[in-house]
Amino acid sequence: MTTIELAKKKWARKMERAGQKWKKGVTDKSSRYAKGVSLFIGKPVPETHEKVIGWREGVEAVTPEDFANAVRGKEAYWAEKYIEAFS
């Protein structure tokens, strides 16, 4: 049987490699982002809207390595939130 300590280690290992998958999943997806926002707020949002452009620029600015650095060392936080969700 696994434990939360083993799960934390697994999460940390998984997140070290997750940057490439994240980057692939969001790159060149500003039209999908705009469509999702449009559906959420109930009115059209063009890809040329400043918020969509800002989202795209933000995605472009973050590298897979930046992603890995941002989540590195956060396994305790992940575990805390996981436990909290079931409490």
Side-chain angles (χ1 to χ4, degrees), residues 7 22 27 47-48 58 62 71 76 83:
W22 169 81
T27 299
E47 281 189 67
T48 56
V62 177
V71 297
I83 292 167

Side-chain angles (χ1 to χ4, degrees), residues 47-67:
E47 281 189 67
T48 56
H49 191 283
E50 66 181 83
K51 296 292 187 187
V52 177
I53 292 169
W55 181 87
R56 183 176 57 245
E57 289 173 348
V59 164
E60 290 170 356
V62 177
T63 67
E65 294 77 22
D66 292 334
F67 181 93

Side-chain angles (χ1 to χ4, degrees), residues 31 33-35 37-38 41 43-49 51-52:
S31 62
Y33 174 75
K35 181 180 179 184
V37 172
S38 294
I41 66 173
K43 68 183 235 180
V45 176
E47 281 189 67
T48 56
H49 191 283
K51 296 292 187 187
V52 177

